Each structure stands twice: as structure tokens, then as C-alpha cells.
């Protein structure tokens, strides 16, 4: 192992030991400080923007070439809560090495990706007399797991940041050990719907006369979704950006099969797409969803309690595809509930962000696809979007550059779940691939630099 690999594995150990859980707002400034220090030690011009509860860490590494392109590398240092602790085989806050795996909360999402990239940069600088062929800006935020609450504001305050390409936070190998390059994320709007039918819970003998909040809420919710999973809200799908043929082909080629998908998740009900006669893979990536995350009301303990619930509430989310606006979508849901006679239900927005898909035939992305094709023995799997959500859209709106993600994960990485882990072999390979990506900017045809980014 090179000294740099050892040094940054030590940093990963240190980072995993800090429970930087953005949902709890814990240990965020101290994690930002450690990263700022690590980037400064590498020779970066570092800024820690601590106007936010989760400070952003920015570091610039300049190429001596005045015409060098600009690469932005985006990561996040916050993690999901580690609960339930008893489902972990080792302490989530201790980086544990076992059978060629590294285990710990954040080891994939996203601290391991950060240290792999720092290792790649350190080795590249060391092997090339500190001469980068591309200007690199790291943007490392601390509230990604809480809908990137500061990222939009940060970009608005920093119109001077330029990018020809953005490398996204993470990614994983597929089940056939092929690197996946992903160019998009869905958006999301999350919200609560609640009902209140009396000042306090009542004796349930009154149920012939007094409505229960539990009925009221479930009747309202039931209007939103039909039994085959079609969202009933008028105009919900109006702005959905239809995938082009290349995007459809890329998704059709993804090596995931329907039967394997059903087996992997032990799905016990028919697929909604089967009920509707739709293509499940295209729907998974290109269609929005509307789902209930949780419902609570009344008595849920052991035995019987004959009570009439006065309050009921549900948490919901809509996963959005490019073209859809979180606030417009939520307003349509509100309007529809009202039109259906549920004006008494209270709808409260919690979080929202838009979705984004890169044009995977953009030359800047093609450069990464080519680098991956040359580096890996098999062809990379190119996907125009993931089915998950992330703040890519903020970065695209601000930087106007195509975005592609790849990372240190594999199919059993268990992001957000107990026993989050990566394989050491992928970790080291990712370091070498990232070095190849940096090197791919050397001997590039130079294109004229953009005019001042302030004009954006
Ligand atoms: Zn995550």
C-alpha cells in the first residue's frame, strides 16, 4: 500500500468515527474542519463556509495551464443515522476491516468516496510534480442526507464557480462487477397530511355520530392513488420530461432483470407496472411516484382500546422526474384534495428539490465513458439517471455543466442501512480510475474559456 493510501485510510477511520448525522445536526462543523484541514494539507485553497448549520467545505486546486478546463467534484460528509444499532454486526462508528471489506456508517455514502478521491489527487500530484492538467474544485456539503438545505443558497452566492464537468458524489459496481456511470437523479417533494376531528380522542361509542380523524385521513389519501398505482391528481404528469430514445435504450440495456428484482426485494405483491401493463424498468427510472412513508393515528398498543381518534397524520413523498417542480406538484395535490371535499385535511411541505438528467452524449461525459472503457476490462454501464434522489439539479442550474457519478460501492453496499460496507478491491480500483480521469484532461483539445460566469 502506498503511503497515501494508508494516510487517507486513516482519515476515513477518523471520519467514520464521527457521527456526523445531518438529521440530528450533530458533529457537522467538526467534520467540516477535519476535511478542510486535509484538503489544505494537500495544497488546496480552502474555504469553510460556516454560515450554515452544516458548513460547506470548498477547495480549489489550480492547474498551471491557463487554458485548463474546470472540474467540480461534489461530495457530502454527513451520514444517515445508524439506528437500529442492534442490526449492525460491528460498531457503526468504528471503521472495521473484515474479509476484504470496510464496514461502518458512511463508508460508501459518502466518506469513502471522499477519501478515495483525496488519495487519487494526492498520488496524481505526487507523480506529476504537483502539476494538474485540470482545475479541480471540491464542493463538500454536510446536509445532503437532509435534502441539501444549503447547497442552492451556496451556489447562488458563488456565481464565480466554473465547471466544464461535475463528478457526482458516489456510485456502485453492478451485479456483474461493471462500473456504473450515472448522469441523473430524481427530485422529491415530501409533505405531511393531517386530520383533526375533535379536540381530543373520544369514547368510540360516539362513532355513529362523530367522524374519526383516521377515517377522514385514509379516505383523503385513497383519492390520490388508484389500485394499479396511477396517480389521480390532475396535471400531476403534465411536465414530465419524456426520455429520448438513447435514454430509453440505455435503461433497457441495464443488466437488471424483473425476476431478479422481485427476488432481491422479496416482493410479495404484483408489480404495479404489471397491473398497468407498463415496462417496469422504464417506469422505475423515468416516471414520478407518490407514496405514503408512514401513517399514524389512535391506539396502536397491545390489546384493545375502544377509542375514536381525534387526530391522524401521514408522511408522504412524491419522487419527481426532470421537468416537475416540487412546489407546483404539491399545490396540485392540495387543490385536488380540496376539490374532492377534503379541504379540512392539512397539507404541510417538509422538503423539496427538482430532478435532473445529463445528456449522456455530451463530449465531457463521453470523455469519462471512454476513460472507463479503457480502464476497466468490461464496458461501463451507462445510466442516464438513478431511481434515487439527489441535489444534482442545484448543481446543474448553477454550473450549467453535465454531471456524472461513479464511486466505490457495489450491489451489497447497504447505504442508509445497517452494515454499510464497501470492498477494498473496489476502493483501490476507484482510486486508480479517478487518477485516470484526472489524467484524461491532459492533452485535451483546449476549448475557449467561458466568459465571466457572473453573466449566468
Ligand atoms: Zn445517502
Amino acid at each position: 500500500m502506498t503511503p497515501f493510501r494508508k494516510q487517507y485510510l486513516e482519515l476515513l477511520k477518523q471520519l467514520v468515527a464521527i457521527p456526523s448525522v445531518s438529521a440530528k445536526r450533530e458533529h457537522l462543523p467538526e467534520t467540516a474542519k477535519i476535511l478542510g484541514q486535509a484538503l489544505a494539507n494537500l495544497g488546496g485553497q480552502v474555504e469553510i463556509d460556516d454560515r450554515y448549520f452544516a458548513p460547506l467545505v470548498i477547495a480549489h486546486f489550480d492547474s498551471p495551464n491557463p487554458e485548463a478546463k474546470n472540474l467540480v467534484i461534489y461530495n457530502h460528509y454527513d451520514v444517515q443515522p445508524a439506528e437500529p444499532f442492534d442490526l449492525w454486526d460491528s460498531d457503526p462508528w468504528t471503521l472495521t476491516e473484515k474479509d476484504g471489506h470496510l464496514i461502518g456508517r458512511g463508508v460508501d455514502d459518502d466518506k469513502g468516496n471522499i477519501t478515495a478521491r483525496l488519495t487519487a489527487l494526492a498520488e496524481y500530484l505526487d507523480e506529476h510534480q504537483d502539476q494538474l492538467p485540470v482545475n479541480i474544485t471540491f464542493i463538500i456539503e454536510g446536509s445532503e442526507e437532509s435534502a441539501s438545505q444549503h447547497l442552492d443558497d451556496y451556489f447562488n452566492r458563488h456565481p464565480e464557480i466554473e465547471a466544464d464537468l461535475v463528478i457526482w458524489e458516489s456510485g456502485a459496481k453492478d451485479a456483474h462487477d461493471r462500473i456504473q456511470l450515472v448522469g441523473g437523479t430524481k427530485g422529491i417533494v415530501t409533505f405531511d397530511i393531517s386530520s383533526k376531528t375533535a379536540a381530543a380522542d373520544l369514547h368510540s361509542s360516539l362513532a355513529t355520530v362523530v367522524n374519526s380523524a383516521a377515517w377522514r385521513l385514509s379516505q383523503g389519501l385513497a383519492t390520490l392513488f388508484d389500485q394499479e398505482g396511477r396517480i389521480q391528481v390532475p396535471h400531476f404528469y403534465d411536465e414530465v420530461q419524456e426520455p429520448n430514445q438513447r435514454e430509453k435504450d440505455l435503461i433497457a440495456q441495464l443488466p437488471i432483470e424483473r425476476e431478479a428484482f422481485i427476488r432481491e426485494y422479496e416482493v410479495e405483491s404484483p408489480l404495479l407496472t404489471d397491473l398497468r401493463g407498463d415496462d417496469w424498468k422504464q417506469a422505475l427510472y423515468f416516471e414520478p411516484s407518490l407514496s405514503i412513508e408512514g401513517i399514524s393515528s389512535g391506539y396502536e398498543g397491545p390489546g384493545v382500546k375502544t377509542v375514536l381518534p381525534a387526530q391522524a397524520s401521514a408522511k408522504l413523498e412524491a419522487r419527481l422526474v426532470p421537468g416537475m417542480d416540487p412546489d407546483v406538484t404539491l399545490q396540485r395535490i392540495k387543490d385536488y384534495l380540496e376539490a374532492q371535499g377534503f379541504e379540512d385535511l392539512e397539507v404541510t411541505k417538509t422538503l423539496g428539490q427538482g430532478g435532473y438528467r445529463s445528456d449522456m452524449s455530451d463530449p465531457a461525459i463521453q470523455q469519462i465513458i471512454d476513460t472507463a472503457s479503457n480502464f476497466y476490462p468490461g464496458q461501463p454501464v451507462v445510466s442516464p439517471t438513478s431511481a434515487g434522489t439527489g441535489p444534482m439539479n442545484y448543481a446543474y442550474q448553477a454550473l450549467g455543466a453535465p454531471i456524472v457519478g461513479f464511486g466505490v460501492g457495489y450491489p451489497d453496499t447497504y447505504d442508509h442501512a445497517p452494515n454499510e460496507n464497501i470492498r477494498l478491491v473496489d476502493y483501490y480500483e476507484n482510486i486508480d480510475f479517478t487518477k485516470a480521469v484526472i489524467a484524461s484532461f491532459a492533452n485535451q483539445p483546449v476549448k475557449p474559456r467561458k466568459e465571466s460566469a457572473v453573466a449566468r
Side-chain angles (χ1 to χ4, degrees), residues 69 71 124 128 132-134 165 167 363-372 374-375 406 432-445:
K69 288 189 181 173
L71 177 65
Y124 190 94
H128 295 81
L132 283 176
V134 59
L165 175 69
I167 292 183
I365 292 200
Q366 194 59 49
Q367 178 186 330
I368 305 303
I369 297 173
D370 292 344
T371 306
N374 292 331
F375 180 85
F406 55 83
D432 289 326
F433 176 57
T434 304
K435 283 164 70 178
V437 166
I438 296 172
S440 73
F441 285 90
N443 310 317
Q444 278 282 307

Side-chain angles (χ1 to χ4, degrees), residues 236-248:
F236 188 88
Y237 297 94
D238 279 9
E239 290 92 13
V240 167
Q241 184 187 309
E242 288 299 325
N244 61 33
Q245 195 56 47
R246 172 162 157 83
E247 290 176 320
K248 284 186 197 168

Side-chain angles (χ1 to χ4, degrees), residues 76 80 109 144-145 416:
H76 65 90
Q80 287 280 330
D109 183 14
E144 195 272 347
E145 304 292 6
H416 297 204

Side-chain angles (χ1 to χ4, degrees), residues 231-238 329 332-333 335-337 339-340:
I231 297 156
Q232 300 298 297
V233 178
H235 308 293
F236 188 88
Y237 297 94
D238 279 9
T329 301
R332 286 175 180 160
I333 293 169
D335 291 347
Y336 179 63
L337 284 169
Q340 298 294 108

Side-chain angles (χ1 to χ4, degrees), residues 59-72:
H60 300 283
F61 295 84
D62 286 338
S63 166
N65 175 3
E67 292 176 317
K69 288 189 181 173
N70 299 295
L71 177 65
V72 166

